[in-house]
Amino acid sequence: AAGALPGAAAAAALAQRACKGDRRRRRQRPVVGRATPAIEETLFEWRSSAGSLAPEASSLAPRDAASGSESRVPPLPFEEVSEFWHAWRRGDLAEGMTLADAVVEASQERPLLWEAFETFPEAADQLYPEWRTALKWVRPWKREPDEEWKLAKVRGSLAWELRQTAVALRKLRRHEAAAPDQRTLRPGFALIFVPLRWAAELDAIARRLEERMNWQDVPLVAVLSEGATLSLGTAFFPPSANPPTAFFLGETELEEAGAAGYRLQEELHDNLAKNIYTEYFQKHGKTNGTIVAGRAMLGRGTNDVHSALLFVDPATRNAVPCRVLGLLDACYPNAVKVGAIAAAASDAPGRSMVLGGRWGGLRNGGVVGLLLPGYADSSLGLCGCEPFGPLWEVFESDVSAGASMIRKIADPGSRDVDPDGRRVSVPAGEALVAEARTANVSEDAKDIWLGIPRLSMRLAKGQASGLGEWALFRGSRVTPEGSFMLEGGGPGAEGVGTVAGKMGRPITRMQGFRSTVDQGALGRMQMAYQMERLTNRHSSEASAPEVRRPWLTLVFGGGEGPRQSITEERLYGGVFLGSGVLGAPGIAMAEIPDEDSVRDWSRDGP
């Protein structure tokens, strides 16, 4: 379980509703109609909790429940959008005028032109699917590049220009439509966790709640959960606070940031420096300017973001969330990042995450997140997973491509040695199965998890224990020669264990784990923050008695252990169950042994 406690929200109005129905995930027909009672009860509880903070009821008419989403009609035919874009690129419009200024001026006679350019780039993928290939960045009198890195730069530059234009147009529209707001607190963001059995109607449920809440122009994220509860949570902020912002980053967005950063480097440096950055850009698709471009794309400076909530599409390639987290770490190094991998439904592929807003919708192949102005803490710990047996010493393992197994291990406490004085090794699979039999654990390899230390025990002493210490991998089978084979790519794919003499460290230690039910995990995590909450309360009262800094606790669970252990999803600010969690180790929740210590984990505990 991972816990995030953003402490910047001046108030939090959170309401959740346990929806009736079993937890079994099975194929069902669209359920917006069946979900309507749960949606209504959720809204009733939310309004009761939010009180006067809740926006006034929306005057929008409810959409057809069977349709699930409103039809999206392009504001203008694509031919008119393309004609205006290429006229601007050719210089046919006023010289030196930005695209946003040109759109504003032309909108006096063609009002829908403004709305059309507001859709770029995300919404335009549905409204104008041909825009990425039909709109040209290169001016008519120049040749299209033929090298892939140059094409990536052209594609990114095109998307960047259109994104900046859309951002400018939206800001201008909001400024013109803004009315004086006398409320002491304003809507900040909303989170919706939708049960897996309603995956086919994820976007319809999110849109229905958004309309009924009158949640206009405020960040909203809806994510598919493996839990059984339809959960709605909102946070409110003072008018003086920098408002939260929602974003989506996928492969095309990363390419866009890389191209924009390269253009910045071109403008700042001479030819020599350009050549250096060109070589780096060709190899990595980014430069130092990518950080600046990333902040501009996300619309927040370094000091504007102190925490981030992230949700990863389970169908995306592993490299994408790693690159996204790398960009966020570079853009906002001091912000705490926490989140989870969304659930996936086999009967509704591609329906795991929704980004709200006028031009929102389903998002695939990347990371949806919220950048928050408030500070946060995080803690990672094992939930429904406990160690058994000794901390084994690994003599031989294979983590090369296509293989993932532990061959030979030895008990560090054993005094058996061979004639040369070396500790006697045994086949890993046989030893683990024997230890499982002793600990009354299932002997099936699929019921045994293997923990590989992420760091050496000595280096890990400064980190949190539990999940922050171990990389866990499910067993697959015991080979005829007694080796223990792991599911999937194993430690090598995650970069935890490597071949000796190459990158990183070889596997030297391992620990057996088993799944269990642990209903006290959330309570222990909450207790870890009691002292900090008490200190925060006293400091707030001493500095400004009228200001009370509240705490919002969110729990993210990933895997079988949390699903079996967390039976009440209406605890704290919200409980989300996905296929994995993201977060920093944070506050330590148990001690870590010395590197050379020998302990019976099943007897003494972690």
Side-chain angles (χ1 to χ4, degrees):
L5 289 83
L14 301 162
Q16 302 171 74
R17 173 62 187 171
C19 304
K20 296 181 180 179
D22 61 330
R23 291 173 176 268
R24 290 174 295 175
R25 301 186 293 274
R26 57 180 182 244
R27 187 182 301 273
Q28 294 182 344
R29 63 182 182 274
V31 292
V32 166
R34 294 173 54 194
T36 299
I39 292 175
E40 294 299 325
E41 293 181 43
T42 298
L43 288 168
F44 175 80
E45 293 189 3
W46 173 75
R47 291 195 180 100
S48 300
S49 178
S52 61
L53 297 176
E56 295 181 1
S58 175
S59 60
L60 296 175
R63 287 163 303 136
D64 181 10
S67 67
S69 62
E70 59 188 347
S71 60
R72 297 293 179 86
V73 179
L76 280 179
F78 179 72
E79 291 73 17
E80 295 188 37
V81 175
S82 176
E83 179 185 356
F84 189 86
W85 163 263
H86 290 107
W88 177 75
R89 287 297 293 165
R90 289 192 304 267
D92 296 346
L93 307 179
E95 186 176 354
M97 180 179 291
T98 66
L99 178 59
D101 291 338
V103 170
V104 171
E105 184 175 291
S107 296
Q108 297 177 8
E109 297 180 359
R110 302 161 63 187
L112 293 180
L113 192 65
W114 183 318
E115 188 171 347
F117 275 93
E118 270 192 74
T119 66
F120 287 94
E122 289 89 356
D125 288 333
Q126 286 76 45
L127 299 174
Y128 306 119
E130 68 273 35
W131 75 269
R132 292 187 184 271
T133 55
L135 299 184
K136 303 299 181 182
W137 174 258
V138 178
R139 299 186 187 279
W141 54 86
K142 292 187 177 181
R143 275 187 56 190
E144 286 277 355
D146 51 4
E147 297 179 69
E148 178 55 34
W149 72 272
K150 291 183 179 179
L151 289 172
K153 175 189 170 186
V154 167
R155 290 193 299 264
S157 299
L158 170 67
W160 172 264
E161 187 67 44
L162 289 168
R163 180 187 298 274
Q164 298 308 302
T165 299
V167 169
L169 294 174
R170 292 168 190 167
K171 285 184 177 179
L172 186 57
R173 184 187 294 276
R174 285 196 296 267
H175 177 74
E176 292 179 347
D181 193 340
Q182 303 300 325
R183 290 178 295 180
T184 57
L185 296 172
R186 296 179 181 176
F189 67 88
L191 286 176
I192 302 173
F193 301 149
V194 179
L196 193 63
R197 63 183 180 275
W198 292 341
E201 303 301 324
L202 172 67
D203 52 334
I205 293 173
R207 185 71 67 175
R208 177 71 62 83
L209 286 170
E210 185 179 35
E211 290 179 354
R212 295 292 302 278
M213 293 163 61
N214 197 25
W215 207 253
Q216 299 178 7
D217 295 324
V218 183
L220 180 144
V221 172
V223 192
L224 198 63
S225 170
E226 295 184 1
T229 301
L230 175 61
S231 175
L232 167 63
T234 57
F236 292 78
F237 290 75
S240 58
N242 194 20
T245 184
F247 68 89
F248 172 77
L249 290 177
E251 292 191 72
T252 55
E253 287 74 19
L254 292 171
E255 181 182 77
E256 177 184 336
Y262 181 78
R263 288 176 60 196
L264 291 174
Q265 300 290 173
E266 284 185 317
E267 295 175 6
L268 292 175
H269 297 284
D270 55 21
N271 290 331
L272 177 62
K274 281 168 53 177
N275 292 335
I276 296 174
Y277 281 108
T278 296
E279 182 179 352
Y280 190 86
F281 180 78
Q282 286 179 259
K283 184 176 181 180
H284 302 284
K286 59 183 179 181
T287 65
N288 289 344
T290 302
I291 301 174
V292 180
R295 295 193 192 111
M297 177 184 292
L298 298 170
R300 292 295 182 270
T302 307
N303 298 323
D304 297 332
V305 178
H306 296 109
S307 57
L309 300 178
L310 310 173
F311 298 95
V312 180
D313 180 6
T316 189
R317 297 190 308 113
N318 291 339
V320 175
C322 291
R323 291 177 61 193
V324 170
L325 287 170
L327 179 61
L328 292 175
D329 281 337
C331 292
Y332 311 107
N334 298 322
V336 174
K337 293 93 178 172
V338 291
I341 302 173
S346 58
D347 57 348
R351 292 180 173 271
S352 293
M353 307 185 305
V354 169
L355 197 61
R358 185 183 183 191
W359 301 112
L362 291 166
R363 294 291 183 265
N364 301 308
V367 177
V368 164
L370 291 163
L371 299 181
L372 308 177
Y375 292 89
D377 294 316
S378 70
S379 177
L380 292 181
L382 295 174
C383 176
C385 185
E386 64 180 14
F388 71 90
L391 179 64
W392 300 93
E393 183 178 359
V394 179
F395 278 20
E396 184 181 352
S397 63
D398 186 358
V399 294
S400 58
S404 178
M405 67 175 65
I406 307 297
R407 300 185 186 278
K408 299 287 186 179
I409 60 175
D411 184 349
S414 173
R415 297 186 178 182
D416 296 335
V417 295
D418 61 16
D420 295 328
R422 294 175 299 185
R423 190 179 293 116
V424 176
S425 65
V426 294
E430 296 178 2
L432 283 170
V433 170
E435 194 66 43
R437 187 182 306 116
T438 303
N440 294 322
V441 179
S442 171
E443 300 177 27
D444 188 347
K446 291 185 177 296
D447 294 330
I448 299 175
W449 294 74
L450 205 60
I452 307 297
R454 297 182 183 275
L455 301 170
S456 69
M457 291 299 182
R458 184 167 288 112
L459 293 175
K461 289 177 71 66
Q463 304 291 329
S465 61
L467 193 60
E469 174 188 345
W470 301 101
L472 298 178
F473 304 92
R474 184 198 290 270
S476 175
R477 61 186 177 90
V478 177
T479 64
E481 64 271 19
S483 298
F484 192 77
M485 182 169 287
L486 306 175
E487 282 188 353
E494 193 170 322
V496 177
T498 55
V499 179
K502 294 188 177 182
M503 296 173 56
R505 301 171 59 255
I507 297 174
T508 59
R509 298 285 193 276
M510 75 172 202
Q511 174 69 53
F513 287 85
R514 63 178 174 181
S515 296
T516 185
V517 176
D518 183 8
Q519 296 183 350
L522 292 188
R524 292 194 301 273
M525 184 186 71
Q526 184 74 353
M527 286 296 294
Y529 293 96
Q530 292 297 329
M531 182 64 71
E532 184 146 359
R533 295 233 298 267
L534 182 63
T535 303
N536 174 78
R537 186 187 69 185
H538 288 325
S539 62
S540 297
E541 292 175 353
S543 59
E546 71 280 2
V547 177
R548 298 198 64 181
R549 182 186 176 199
W551 287 81
L552 168 64
T553 304
L554 296 175
V555 178
F556 299 95
E560 296 179 2
R563 286 200 299 271
Q564 297 173 357
S565 302
I566 303 175
T567 57
E568 177 53 75
E569 298 171 35
R570 291 178 290 179
L571 296 170
Y572 310 120
V575 175
F576 175 83
L577 299 176
S579 56
V581 295
L582 308 170
I587 296 177
M589 301 183 65
E591 65 176 85
I592 298 178
D594 293 333
E595 183 174 6
D596 297 324
S597 67
V598 178
R599 302 184 64 176
D600 184 349
W601 294 87
S602 61
R603 183 188 70 234
D604 300 328

